[in-house]
Amino acid sequence: AQSVAQPEDQVNVAEGNPLTVKCTYSVSGNPYLFWYVQYPNRGLQFLLKYITGDNLVKGSYGFEAEFNKSQTSFHLKKPSALVSDSALYFCAVTLTGANNLFFGTGTRLTVIP
Amino acid sequence: DARVTQTPRHKVTEMGQEVTMRCQPILGHNTVFWYRQTMMQGLELLAYFRNRAPLDDSGMPKDRFSAEMPDATLATLKIQPSEPRDSAVYFCASAREASYNEQFFGPGTRLTVL
């Protein structure tokens, strides 16, 4: 069975500081991993994904994530947070040949001015 | 700028009424998903289609929910009869076939059942 855990419901960070939103996964096989962001009253937007290759993936708006197979993690990071980064972030996982994504419960990021 | 569209954006109805939500996937995307989002349950997958055929609808309450794709440009989600517990935001998403392709989400339909 596939699953994703986002251990923090809420993350607060000061503007300009680095941010990390955590995600761990559990799959029986090689995962495809995704991060999505949801702004208020909007649908989810794709940020980045890991399929294969370089463990460090760069995505939209200056975000990046590192795939760590030994720790089964795919944490989302950004070197310097902006107030406009405040949103709900979802991690998701799937497998080769699978038809759907398994989403985490979401982490609400608040960047404090 | 291709995007998924959903109508209506907001719907308020009374318990027992039929509700129909519509989704237009991005042209060329052959996989369509329906999700429901609530504060309590988070994001739940209700059903999904590939090439208009339903692949999985195990997330839907079968007695009152139904999902169809009459053609490649339209997906519908119906609730009949609606209940207050159905109040949620319903999202449609589309993607190209292959599990490594990202999903594109519509803006959602906010349903309130009184």
Side-chain angles (χ1 to χ4, degrees):
Chain A
Q2 304 162 59
S3 65
V4 167
Q6 293 182 244
E8 301 159 316
D9 290 336
Q10 173 82 41
V11 170
N12 296 326
V13 63
E15 186 178 22
N17 282 3
L19 70 87
T20 299
V21 182
K22 296 180 181 177
C23 171
T24 58
Y25 64 90
S26 175
V27 298
S28 53
N30 292 319
Y32 298 146
L33 292 154
F34 299 76
W35 276 103
Y36 287 80
V37 61
Q38 185 179 27
Y39 298 102
N41 301 313
R42 304 282 295 275
L44 279 67
Q45 296 177 33
F46 168 75
L47 270 182
L48 52 78
K49 65 182 177 183
Y50 171 82
I51 300 175
T52 187
D54 193 347
N55 289 342
L56 184 63
V57 178
K58 294 187 182 296
S60 307
Y61 312 122
F63 284 93
E64 59 187 29
E66 186 167 9
F67 172 63
N68 188 318
K69 189 172 184 177
S70 63
Q71 298 186 6
T72 62
S73 67
F74 190 57
H75 301 331
L76 182 70
K77 299 183 179 184
K78 187 174 182 180
S80 178
L82 301 173
V83 173
S84 58
D85 293 330
S86 298
L88 188 57
Y89 290 81
F90 289 93
C91 182
V93 67
T94 190
L95 288 172
T96 306
N99 294 311
N100 59 308
L101 284 176
F102 291 85
F103 283 89
T105 52
T107 298
R108 186 165 299 281
L109 173 69
T110 300
V111 181
I112 303 163
Chain B
D1 185 22
R3 58 184 63 190
V4 175
T5 59
Q6 289 186 247
T7 56
R9 292 293 312 276
H10 301 273
K11 176 71 175 179
V12 179
T13 191
E14 293 189 346
M15 182 173 62
Q17 297 298 305
E18 177 177 302
V19 175
T20 297
M21 291 169 270
R22 295 177 174 81
C23 166
Q24 182 172 14
I26 292 173
L27 190 64
H29 286 190
N30 67 340
T31 309
V32 176
F33 304 82
W34 282 106
Y35 293 91
R36 176 170 64 183
Q37 186 176 35
T38 61
M39 290 292 292
M40 294 300 295
Q41 300 296 326
L43 195 63
E44 303 173 273
L45 177 66
L46 298 176
Y48 60 96
F49 295 76
R50 178 155 293 153
N51 298 322
R52 297 175 54 201
L55 290 188
D56 188 350
D57 61 1
S58 59
M60 289 199 314
K62 297 292 189 302
D63 55 338
R64 298 184 300 108
F65 284 59
S66 62
E68 296 179 343
M69 282 201 73
D71 61 62
T73 65
L74 177 64
T76 62
L77 180 66
K78 291 186 180 181
I79 308 174
Q80 169 62 23
S82 58
E83 298 181 0
R85 59 179 169 157
D86 300 329
S87 298
V89 181
Y90 291 81
F91 290 105
C92 174
S94 71
R96 295 185 189 276
E97 187 169 350
S99 46
Y100 52 76
N101 287 319
E102 57 270 28
Q103 296 180 20
F104 292 79
F105 281 73
T109 295
R110 182 175 296 276
L111 174 65
T112 302
V113 183
L114 302 174

